[in-house]
Amino acid sequence: MTLDPTSGDDDRRPSDAALGRRAQILATEHWGLLAARGTAQSEVLTRITIYLTLVSAGLVTISILGQASRFGEWFAPSALGILAFLVIVGFMTQTRVANVAEEDMMYVVAMNRLRGAYVDLDPAVQDVFLSSITDDQTGLERTYSFLRTRSFSHLFGSSAMLIVFVNATVTGLFCGSLVYAPSGVMPLAIAVGVLVALLVFAASITYGYWTFRTAWRNYRPRRRSTERPVFWRARR
């Protein structure tokens, strides 16, 4: 069902008061989505800052403990405890970043749908919108970057990629230290740490992509774009 201003329940054009009421309802919902999106982004940026601060403080603490203990018997369990704490906080932060990324996608799709409703009310405003009025994947990509097509740089420089990289590195460092503490074999510890870091990084990227595709499979757009999403165009 569309909000077509040329039709009504009785096949007559709605009054200006009815159209104004519809526009006010849509605008109220739009502002609510904007506020929720801003709150989510602010909260996740704070979480990222806390995590990176803890990582920095934790590594500095480990170095100080090493100097103070001269890498004695109690240094290894202390360092492993700090690294284990950072790994847990890292996965918690990464999970929240992934959830907020999905929430942000939902907010953008919802606002695209509202723009489509604005166009139903007044088709003349369609040429004013740079953001998309379609609530499909192509519309999402256009709203995220309406001056040029989204590229690998958007993913590579994202907050989610930063957290995945840092968390994978910290996890690899923890697992390598866990191997080195009882064995004392540095090459083996380095190999295990690098392997774990790569596995965590690959698993995180794969899971993030799977959740993105699952979200779109479960969603039915109200208005579709005439062109296919960049992802599908790239695979042809």
Side-chain angles (χ1 to χ4, degrees):
M1 179 178 180
T2 61
L3 298 176
D4 189 351
T6 62
S7 64
D9 295 336
D10 55 357
D11 294 329
R12 292 179 298 178
R13 178 180 174 83
S15 64
D16 290 341
L19 293 177
R21 184 169 60 251
R22 292 180 184 179
Q24 184 177 7
I25 293 172
L26 293 173
T28 301
E29 175 67 8
H30 202 155
W31 280 108
L33 291 171
L34 284 171
R37 186 186 184 193
T39 300
Q41 290 293 331
S42 177
E43 186 266 341
V44 78
L45 289 175
T46 301
R47 291 280 296 272
I48 291 173
T49 301
I50 292 173
Y51 173 58
L52 295 179
T53 302
L54 287 175
V55 170
S56 177
L59 295 179
V60 171
T61 301
I62 290 175
S63 67
I64 294 175
L65 287 176
Q67 296 177 17
S69 65
R70 298 184 183 275
F71 301 98
E73 295 182 357
W74 58 272
F75 170 74
S78 299
L80 289 174
I82 293 174
L83 290 175
F85 170 76
L86 294 178
V87 169
I88 295 173
V89 175
F91 278 107
M92 293 173 64
T93 304
Q94 181 177 316
T95 300
R96 182 54 185 155
V97 170
N99 289 341
V100 169
E102 185 173 349
E103 291 174 15
D104 189 74
M105 180 181 71
M106 293 188 295
Y107 293 139
V108 172
V109 169
M111 287 186 281
N112 281 2
R113 175 175 285 201
L114 290 178
R115 290 188 196 93
Y118 294 146
V119 171
D120 289 339
L121 289 176
D122 187 357
V125 304
Q126 181 171 353
D127 292 338
V128 179
F129 292 137
L130 287 178
S131 299
S132 179
I133 64 171
T134 62
D135 55 327
D136 58 356
Q137 186 179 338
T138 302
L140 172 75
E141 293 173 355
R142 178 178 177 181
T143 297
Y144 271 134
S145 182
F146 43 75
L147 294 181
R148 68 181 179 93
T149 302
R150 283 171 63 84
S151 63
F152 175 75
S153 65
H154 291 85
L155 175 63
F156 182 75
S158 65
S159 298
M161 185 64 71
L162 171 65
I163 290 302
V164 168
F165 179 76
V166 173
N167 193 42
T169 303
V170 173
T171 305
L173 180 60
F174 169 70
C175 292
S177 301
L178 200 61
V179 171
Y180 180 77
S183 67
V185 181
M186 181 61 71
L188 177 61
I190 294 176
V192 170
V194 172
L195 178 61
V196 170
L198 292 176
L199 289 175
V200 171
F201 185 85
S204 299
I205 297 300
T206 301
Y207 177 74
Y209 178 76
W210 176 80
T211 57
F212 176 79
R213 298 308 309 169
T214 301
W216 280 110
R217 281 197 298 268
N218 295 333
Y219 178 71
R220 296 295 178 268
R222 175 176 179 264
R223 184 186 260 105
R224 295 181 181 272
S225 304
T226 56
E227 61 180 359
R228 284 179 143 183
V230 172
F231 170 76
W232 293 112
R233 292 207 303 270
R235 291 189 60 181
R236 285 192 303 177

